[in-house]
């Protein structure tokens, strides 16, 4: 047994098998080959090896779960799919290297499936991606390590990019451990959204974690225990049982409205990043979705998602959550949210650089695609849209102008959308606080992003663990920013919510009530505890 210490980034304890995640580079080069027979042989071998791996996965999964096992059976059939194989062979015969052929045919077929109306067929796109990536890994000589993908897993990785975190199978993963990463990184936020514990920033101690075996983690204290003894395991299992019973106890708040003792009603919303979070929104009885981080759709993809792909996702989220309001934030790419296909060059100060609305306004094609998808989906439920990282009034006005232009387009095309869709702006920069009165005249609501507002107010990089202690959302200057925003919202007759992590800081609930905050949006797992705190709170309006 060995004990290591990191930093707790998402509360709770968990015990599971180590799932050591190694980063794989699946980018490919377009190379002209001369020996076609040799390349065809490489492709055939890679396919055979993929089938062998899938056979093993099938046998392994069968022990735990018949349905998961069936997925591998389907994948085995797809490896021999004539469209896929013929497409690759044709490209190789055309002197393309096998990797490039698999990559190109993968994208073509995956797009074709995605465009299909039938949801079953459209979901086959992910299967094509999966088997093609398996073949790509084999071609690139990357070893398969996924054999234990069932059971309770604790993901151990040097760092988890949001794009990797969102791809994890939420049914199996019970915790994260990382060598790097801060408390306010998006991977930590995602762990909290999933309601699972996370320990980050183990630094040198990380090297002592073995590649496999059992591990127990405590997301409150940051302690991790490798190969725990039976006594320690029993302790952890007791803690897990207590944790579950607290969760059970909070269920009494399901169906209750968040109203303070003196009658101030607040909406308690959920922050989500993908369709797989919808169940948790409903299970925890959220009043709305206060923040859908739409960029996670982009991070889950290997290419810019098309208008139709996005439309299907937005439509499903608003339809399944109807009549609840879903506030979708437009693309907030950049800084720590990167994927290779974005092509954003490295920057000295990414947090101050090319991100969010700045990218969207500079690359209107990307923005237009998203806005069209959003407007089309708005017809199917109760959706609002908000814009992130606004620091200049003109940015908000330009974004609104583009939205109006797309509305006109859709009208001409006879495509329905929600005409009275509410628009909001995120208050994440000190500049936006200072011009809040002007911004308020353009929108129906403010949503304060306290993660970035803290970062920019205190000049503390939220990703930099060296200054982590200075990152304090309770700091007087940050609270003043929040209060000024709330005042400006009230004076201009619009509502004001908070969707940054500190919306769930129960030490601040009293303060938020006292300044008349109308909505608090938090990770789904925090909703019921927050409702309980609000219900027991007395507003002392300032
Ligand atoms: C915030 O900055 O508080 C916020 C909600 O946005 P994100 O954390 O995604 O940057
Ligand atoms: Mg932000």
């Amino acid at each position: 047994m060995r004990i290591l210490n990191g930093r707790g980034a998402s509360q709770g304890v968990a015990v599971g098998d180590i799932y050591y995640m190694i980063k794989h580079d699946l980018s490919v080069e377009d190379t002209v080959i001369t020996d076609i027979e040799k390349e065809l042989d490489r492709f055939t071998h890679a396919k055979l090896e993929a089938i062998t791996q899938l056979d093993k996965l099938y046998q392994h999964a069968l022990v735990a779960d018949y349905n998961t096992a069936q997925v591998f059976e389907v994948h085995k059939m797809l490896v021999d799919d004539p469209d896929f194989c013929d497409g690759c062979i044709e490209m190789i015969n055309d002197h393309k290297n096998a990797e490039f052929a698999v990559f190109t045919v993968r994208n073509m077929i995956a797009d074709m499936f995605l465009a299909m109306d039938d949801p079953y067929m459209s979901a086959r796109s992910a299967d094509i991606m999966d088997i093609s990536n398996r073949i790509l890994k084999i071609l690139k000589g990357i070893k398969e390590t996924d054999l234990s993908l069932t059971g309770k897993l604790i993901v151990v990785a040097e760092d988890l990019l949001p794009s990797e975190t969102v791809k994890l199978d939420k049914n199996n993963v019970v915790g994260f451990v990382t060598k790097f990463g801060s408390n306010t990184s998006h991977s930590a936020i995602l762990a909290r959204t999933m309601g699972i514990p996370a320990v980050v920033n183990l630094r040198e101690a990380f090297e002592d974690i073995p590649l496999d075996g059992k591990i127990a983690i405590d997301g409150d204290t940051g302690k991790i225990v490798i190969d725990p003894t039976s006594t320690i395991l029993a302790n952890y299992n007791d803690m897990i049982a207590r944790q579950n019973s607290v969760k059970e106890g909070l269920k009494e708040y399901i169906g209750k409205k968040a109203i303070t003792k003196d009658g101030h009603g607040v909406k308690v919303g959920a922050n989500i990043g993908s369709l797989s979070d919808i169940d948790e929104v409903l299970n925890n009885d959220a009043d709305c979705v206060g923040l859908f981080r739409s960029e996670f759709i982009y991070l889950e993809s290997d290419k810019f998602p098309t208008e139709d792909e996005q439309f299907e996702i937005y439509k499903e989220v608003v339809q399944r959550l109807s009549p609840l309001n879903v506030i979708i934030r437009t693309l907030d790419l950049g800084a720590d949210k990167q994927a290779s296909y974005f092509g954003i060059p490295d920057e000295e100060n990414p947090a101050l650089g090319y991100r969010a609305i700045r990218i969207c306004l500079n690359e209107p094609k990307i923005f237009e695609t998203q806005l069209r998808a959003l407007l089309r989906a708005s017809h199917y439920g109760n959706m609002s849209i908000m814009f992130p990282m606004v620091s200049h009034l003109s940015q908000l006005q330009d974004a609104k102008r583009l939205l109006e232009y797309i509305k006109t387009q859709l009208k001409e095309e006879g495509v329905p959308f929600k005409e009275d869709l509410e628009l909001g702006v995120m208050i994440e920069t000190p500049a936006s606080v200072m011009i809040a009165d002007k911004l308020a005249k353009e929108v129906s609501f403010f949503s304060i992003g306290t993660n970035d507002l803290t970062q920019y107010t205190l000049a503390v990089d939220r990703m930099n663990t060296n200054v982590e202690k200075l990152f304090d959302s309770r700091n007087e200057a940050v609270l003043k920013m929040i209060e000024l925003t709330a005042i400006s919202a009230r004076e201009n007759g619009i509502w004001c919510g908070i969707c940054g992590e500190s919306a769930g800081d129960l030490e601040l609930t009293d303060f938020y009530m006292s300044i008349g905050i109308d909505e608090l949006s938090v990770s789904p797992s925090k909703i019921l505890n927050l409702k309980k705190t609000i219900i027991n709170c007395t507003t002392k309006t300032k």
Side-chain angles (χ1 to χ4, degrees):
M1 187 179 93
R2 169 175 278 156
I3 295 177
L4 306 173
N5 285 298
R7 205 160 286 167
S10 177
Q11 286 177 334
V13 295
V15 175
D17 291 324
I18 292 175
Y19 175 66
Y20 209 98
M21 211 159 111
I22 300 161
K23 283 206 178 100
H24 298 306
D25 174 12
L26 289 187
S27 58
V28 300
E29 282 183 19
D30 176 2
T31 321
V32 177
I33 48 115
T34 45
D35 193 342
I36 292 178
E37 278 317 306
K38 189 172 151 210
E39 208 60 11
L40 285 171
D41 250 19
R42 285 183 68 229
F43 176 62
T44 310
H45 268 101
K47 269 177 44 182
L48 288 175
E49 173 58 23
I51 291 176
T52 310
Q53 288 182 1
L54 288 162
D55 263 335
K56 280 192 201 158
L57 283 165
Y58 173 77
Q59 296 302 338
H60 186 83
L62 204 54
V63 182
D65 173 13
Y66 178 79
N67 288 334
T68 311
Q70 286 313 303
V71 173
F72 298 124
E73 270 300 275
V74 173
H75 282 193
K76 249 172 65 183
M77 288 189 304
L78 280 176
V79 171
D80 273 328
D81 176 77
D83 285 340
F84 174 72
C85 293
D86 292 352
C88 292
I89 291 169
E90 199 177 310
M91 285 192 73
I92 296 172
N93 277 328
D94 213 16
H95 300 277
K96 295 290 180 196
N97 53 323
E99 288 87 342
F100 186 70
V102 170
F103 173 83
T104 312
V105 176
R106 175 196 80 176
N107 289 352
M108 240 161 50
I109 300 186
D111 282 352
M112 191 186 75
F113 273 121
L114 255 182
M116 292 186 182
D117 284 338
D118 178 350
Y120 175 81
M121 294 309 288
S122 144
R124 301 286 65 77
S125 159
D127 295 317
I128 282 288
M129 293 298 288
D130 211 325
I131 61 119
S132 309
N133 288 349
R134 181 173 297 284
I135 295 172
L136 268 181
K137 277 187 203 160
I138 297 165
L139 285 167
K140 293 181 93 168
I142 297 168
K143 289 244 170 338
E144 167 75 355
T145 52
D146 289 3
L147 268 181
S148 58
L149 264 177
T150 51
K152 292 184 174 158
L153 304 175
I154 296 195
V155 172
V156 174
E158 291 224 333
D159 210 354
L160 276 168
L161 294 174
S163 55
E164 293 160 335
T165 324
V166 290
K167 287 181 195 161
L168 295 172
D169 181 347
K170 298 180 184 174
N171 295 320
N172 294 328
V173 177
V174 295
F176 296 161
V177 175
T178 61
K179 178 172 183 177
F180 304 111
S182 77
N183 223 310
T184 43
S185 65
H186 282 94
S187 295
I189 291 174
L190 266 158
R192 295 195 280 268
T193 304
M194 289 164 71
I196 60 173
V199 176
V200 299
N201 208 33
L202 267 108
R203 299 277 161 168
E204 295 78 45
F206 184 85
E207 311 308 332
D208 292 336
I209 305 179
L211 292 178
D212 48 29
K214 261 222 176 334
I215 185 169
I217 69 170
D218 185 332
D220 295 82
T221 60
K223 184 165 113 176
I224 73 173
V225 187
I226 291 157
D227 200 9
T229 61
S230 50
T231 320
I232 298 281
L233 262 185
N235 277 346
Y236 269 81
N237 284 330
D238 277 353
M239 285 195 270
I240 291 171
R242 277 202 297 279
Q243 203 168 273
N244 291 339
S245 104
V246 170
K247 264 192 210 155
E248 272 305 303
L250 285 171
K251 285 194 178 154
E252 76 167 276
Y253 290 90
I254 291 179
K256 291 195 178 154
K257 292 267 163 267
I259 301 175
T260 61
K261 286 194 169 135
D262 51 357
H264 176 57
V266 188
K267 275 192 170 183
V268 179
N271 291 350
I272 62 171
S274 80
L275 291 177
S276 59
D277 298 325
I278 292 179
D279 286 343
E280 285 305 286
V281 176
L282 296 169
N283 293 342
N284 289 287
D285 191 30
D287 297 322
C288 58
V289 166
L291 168 64
F292 183 140
R293 289 183 163 94
S294 70
E295 58 277 6
F296 286 137
I297 297 169
Y298 293 66
L299 297 173
E300 275 181 88
S301 180
D302 291 332
K303 56 176 186 38
F304 276 107
T306 62
E307 179 184 322
D308 282 344
E309 284 164 19
Q310 293 187 57
F311 164 70
E312 290 300 338
I313 295 172
Y314 304 141
K315 177 178 158 195
E316 185 172 340
V317 77
V318 294
Q319 252 177 349
R320 283 182 57 197
L321 289 172
S322 178
L324 302 186
N325 182 224
V326 180
I327 302 178
I328 304 188
R329 165 172 83 185
T330 60
L331 253 184
D332 187 12
L333 294 178
D336 69 325
K337 286 179 280 196
Q338 300 281 357
S340 53
Y341 71 89
F342 297 160
I344 302 174
D346 284 350
E347 294 175 302
E348 291 266 326
N349 286 309
L352 300 182
Y354 196 48
R355 59 172 297 198
I357 194 97
R358 301 171 183 185
I359 298 179
C360 289
L361 292 174
N362 208 34
E363 308 202 27
K365 277 278 155 277
I366 297 174
F367 203 18
E368 273 176 40
T369 303
Q370 179 175 43
L371 294 177
R372 273 186 67 92
L374 283 169
L375 281 172
R376 282 171 56 199
S378 68
H379 176 65
Y380 297 88
N382 189 5
M383 178 200 288
S384 303
I385 295 178
M386 67 180 176
F387 302 108
M389 280 299 299
V390 167
S391 51
H392 297 60
L393 178 63
S394 61
Q395 292 171 325
L396 178 59
Q397 289 167 333
D398 288 348
K400 279 180 63 184
R401 210 168 294 126
L402 194 58
L403 193 74
E404 282 311 310
Y405 165 70
I406 289 167
K407 282 184 181 174
T408 321
Q409 256 186 6
L410 292 176
K411 269 190 194 147
E412 277 168 19
E413 292 166 24
V415 179
F417 60 88
K418 191 171 175 235
E419 302 260 358
D420 57 348
L421 181 113
E422 265 201 344
L423 279 189
V425 64
M426 290 195 69
I427 300 292
E428 299 181 280
T429 60
S432 62
V433 177
M434 291 298 127
I435 57 165
D437 55 336
K438 295 206 169 75
L439 296 174
K441 299 202 170 54
E442 303 280 341
V443 290
S444 309
F445 67 92
F446 285 156
S447 184
I448 307 176
T450 48
N451 307 332
D452 278 315
L453 188 58
T454 304
Q455 156 164 269
Y456 297 123
T457 302
L458 301 178
V460 177
D461 181 349
R462 66 193 267 191
M463 301 298 294
N464 186 338
T465 47
N466 293 330
V467 288
E468 196 174 51
K469 284 202 177 78
L470 295 174
F471 187 96
D472 176 15
S473 297
R474 296 180 190 168
N475 179 285
E476 202 185 333
V478 179
L479 299 186
K480 192 83 197 157
M481 290 281 176
I482 296 173
E483 190 176 349
L484 287 175
T485 308
I487 291 172
S488 194
R490 198 170 41 249
E491 283 175 358
N492 287 283
I494 66 169
W495 64 268
C496 180
I498 302 179
C499 66
E501 287 297 293
S502 73
D505 181 348
L506 303 182
E507 293 285 317
L508 293 177
T509 313
D510 262 351
F511 167 70
Y512 295 148
M513 298 303 102
S514 75
I515 58 170
I517 291 293
D518 303 290
E519 178 234 53
L520 291 169
S521 194
V522 295
S523 306
S525 59
K526 290 189 167 174
I527 289 175
L528 293 175
N529 209 10
L530 177 57
K531 272 196 181 178
K532 176 181 168 185
T533 311
I534 293 169
I535 287 170
N536 290 306
C537 161
T538 311
T539 318
K540 296 175 279 299
T541 312
K542 279 188 147 190

